């Protein structure tokens, strides 16, 4: 089989690019550590109900932090606790969430809020809610037979 010299050049270039890409990806993953950005905080997933702030789920006003509210959510077998979160429009909110049992998702439809909730890890996301409305919170990670019924609601309300 005869290859034209330009075909050989492109073949070498393609294979070389692939090798460089894989080396860079491997170095970055193993040298820097391949972890979710918010996986710094861990908890005992069997005692979530006893550990603050998960012992009091819901929306709480906070002082002296870079955000105005903390929305604490606990996911477990096909249920989010609390089922409804209500925050005022324009507020900077830190969502703090975890799972008691299996991997769950926490996606707020129509927003950029999307987290993976893993047992034993605390997931956090800070955002500003700028539009009044009701936003469906769905589990976007398959978690079992009742996955399709696992949902909650984020209500962004006018504080007036």
């Amino acid at each position: 089989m005869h290859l034209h010299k330009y075909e050989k050049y492109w073949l070498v270039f393609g294979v070389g690019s692939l090798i460089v890409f894989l080396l860079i990806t491997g170095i970055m993953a193993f040298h820097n550590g391949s972890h979710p950005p918010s996986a710094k905080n861990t908890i005992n997933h069997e005692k979530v109900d006893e550990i603050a702030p998960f012992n009091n789920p819901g929306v709480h006003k906070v002082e002296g932090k870079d955000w105005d509210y903390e929305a604490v959510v606990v996911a477990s077998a096909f249920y989010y606790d609390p089922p409804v979160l209500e925050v005022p429009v324009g507020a900077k909110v830190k969502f703090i969430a975890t799972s008691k049992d299996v991997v769950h998702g926490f996606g707020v439809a129509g927003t950029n809020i999307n987290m993976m909730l893993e047992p034993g890890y605390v997931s956090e996301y800070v955002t500003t809610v700028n539009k009044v409305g009701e936003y469906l919170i769905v589990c976007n990670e398959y978690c079992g037979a009742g996955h399709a019924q696992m949902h909650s609601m984020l209500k962004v309300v006018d504080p007036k």
Side-chain angles (χ1 to χ4, degrees):
M1 182 168 120
H2 175 68
L3 291 175
H4 194 270
K5 71 177 184 176
Y6 291 121
E7 288 178 305
K8 290 178 187 176
Y9 293 154
W10 279 110
L11 188 62
V12 169
F13 175 75
V15 170
S17 297
L18 180 63
I19 290 170
V20 168
F21 171 76
L22 291 175
L23 282 173
I24 290 172
T25 303
I27 290 169
M28 297 302 289
F30 295 112
H31 177 63
N32 294 336
S34 180
H35 302 289
S38 64
K40 294 177 249 168
N41 301 331
T42 59
I43 60 170
N44 182 348
H45 71 279
E46 294 174 351
K47 298 183 178 182
V48 170
D49 294 328
E50 302 168 15
I51 302 170
F54 301 108
N55 58 351
N56 187 20
V59 179
H60 309 286
K61 177 98 169 114
V62 295
E63 301 289 331
K65 297 189 177 181
D66 291 340
W67 51 88
D68 306 316
Y69 292 88
E70 288 182 348
V72 179
V73 178
V74 178
S76 60
F78 322 124
Y79 179 76
Y80 289 111
D81 186 19
V84 177
L85 299 168
E86 189 172 304
V87 295
V89 68
K92 193 170 188 179
V93 181
K94 181 176 187 177
F95 291 89
I96 306 169
T98 192
S99 171
K100 289 184 184 181
D101 47 16
V102 298
V103 174
H104 293 285
F106 184 86
V108 182
T111 71
N112 60 348
I113 303 166
N114 187 13
M115 297 187 292
M116 181 183 286
L117 311 181
E118 300 176 66
Y121 291 96
V122 177
S123 297
E124 299 176 344
Y125 191 87
V126 179
T127 190
T128 303
V129 289
N130 290 320
K131 190 174 174 188
V132 174
E134 292 186 355
Y135 299 90
L136 184 64
I137 300 172
V138 295
C139 178
N140 51 15
E141 295 286 335
Y142 183 73
C143 56
H147 168 72
Q149 287 77 37
M150 186 170 177
H151 58 82
S152 184
M153 185 66 67
L154 172 65
K155 292 183 179 182
V156 181
V157 297
D158 192 349
K160 296 173 187 166

